[in-house]
């Protein structure tokens, strides 16, 4: 998986009025805090009457922004705040409105500050380790000798360190996030890490 997305609405949208009404009906104020703004950053349309991506983006942004401004009693949303990312997929005239819960893609595990000349995604390296059926008791040979993504992922696997344990997620900033539950989960996962393996 590259991202985790929350389905906020699914509805028929054969024209821009229907698209607007469906996006405006979503209780954005129950998902996004006043300290955040919004960005409609990914549009995909297939076999639908609505196919002008910039217009779809503008309509959904307007609907969500107007609802949030009304709920928060603001003249307009600040462009300086952190942004919640909204995605719109329209397939056969059915609109799917999604809210990104990750922020950075999941392949960014949090341990790499910059990539090498030809960086391998961390999730790809982890998949290679698992598919090779490598066992912790055997030496690991990295045939690529690049920026070390494969050995790092192998070490994390050997230590039973959860992927992404050292990074944050946008979910923490959203109103549906729960800091207490997140800390319980992170604490339980930290206790499982065993450097003696």
């Amino acid at each position: 998986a590259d991202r985790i997305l929350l389905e906020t609405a699914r509805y028929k949208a054969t024209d821009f009025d229907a698209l607007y009404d469906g996006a405006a009906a979503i209780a954005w104020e129950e998902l996004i805090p006043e300290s955040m703004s919004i960005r409609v950053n990914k549009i995909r349309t297939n076999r639908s009457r609505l196919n002008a991506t910039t217009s779809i983006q503008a309509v959904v942004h307007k609907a969500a922004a107007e609802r949030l401004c009304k709920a928060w009693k603001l003249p307009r949303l600040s462009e300086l705040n952190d942004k919640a990312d909204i995605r719109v997929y329209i397939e056969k005239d059915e609109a799917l409105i999604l809210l990104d819960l990750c922020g950075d893609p999941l392949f960014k595990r949090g341990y790499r500050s910059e990539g090498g000349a030809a960086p391998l995604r961390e999730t790809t390296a982890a998949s290679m380790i698992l598919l090779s059926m490598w066992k912790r008791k055997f030496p690991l040979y990295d045939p690529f000798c690049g920026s070390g993504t494969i050995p790092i992922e192998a070490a994390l696997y050997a230590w039973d360190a959860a992927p992404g344990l050292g990074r944050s997620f946008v979910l923490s900033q959203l109103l549906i996030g729960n800091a207490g539950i997140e800390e319980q989960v992170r604490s339980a996962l930290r206790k499982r890490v065993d450097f003696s393996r």
Side-chain angles (χ1 to χ4, degrees):
D2 192 40
R3 294 189 172 278
I4 297 173
L5 305 168
L6 174 68
E7 182 180 318
T8 60
R10 183 187 293 262
Y11 57 93
K12 206 76 174 165
T14 55
D15 57 37
F16 286 113
D17 288 338
L19 180 66
Y20 177 91
D21 292 343
I26 299 166
W28 295 109
E29 68 279 6
E30 295 176 10
L31 301 167
I32 301 169
E34 193 173 342
S35 60
M36 292 184 86
S37 184
I38 57 170
R39 172 176 49 210
V40 181
N41 72 344
K42 184 83 172 182
I43 309 295
R44 188 172 67 206
T45 179
N46 185 35
R47 294 182 289 172
S48 300
R49 290 175 221 182
L50 297 178
N51 55 25
T53 56
T54 53
S55 298
I56 293 168
Q57 182 180 29
V59 166
V60 172
H61 188 278
K62 181 180 179 184
E66 285 180 355
R67 172 132 187 177
L68 288 170
C69 286
K70 184 178 177 183
W72 299 335
K73 298 176 175 50
L74 295 172
R76 61 189 171 98
L77 296 180
S78 170
E79 291 300 313
L80 303 175
N81 296 351
D82 289 337
K83 291 178 175 51
D85 285 331
I86 299 168
R87 292 173 175 234
V88 182
Y89 299 155
I90 305 177
E91 178 84 28
K92 295 181 184 173
D93 294 328
E94 184 177 60
L96 183 61
I97 312 294
L98 304 159
L99 181 63
D100 179 30
L101 302 181
C102 298
D104 285 333
L106 292 177
F107 72 81
K108 295 187 177 181
R109 309 269 211 195
Y111 61 78
R112 184 179 303 284
S113 59
E114 57 187 71
L120 183 65
R121 285 188 172 189
E122 289 89 331
T123 47
T124 304
S127 298
M128 290 169 64
I129 296 293
L130 295 174
L131 289 170
S132 72
M133 298 195 294
W134 174 74
K135 303 289 182 216
R136 298 173 181 102
K137 60 185 176 182
F138 298 120
L140 175 80
Y141 298 97
D142 179 2
F144 300 108
C145 301
S147 58
T149 309
I150 293 172
I152 292 168
E153 288 296 326
L156 293 173
Y157 170 66
W159 295 330
D160 204 12
L165 190 57
R167 61 162 279 180
S168 62
F169 300 91
V170 167
L171 176 61
S172 305
Q173 297 175 264
L174 299 174
L175 295 174
I176 55 174
N178 185 315
I181 292 174
E182 182 180 340
E183 187 46 45
Q184 284 176 8
V185 171
R186 285 183 183 272
S187 178
L189 291 171
R190 280 189 211 104
K191 286 176 185 169
R192 282 178 39 188
V193 177
D194 184 0
F195 294 114
S196 66
R197 294 181 183 185

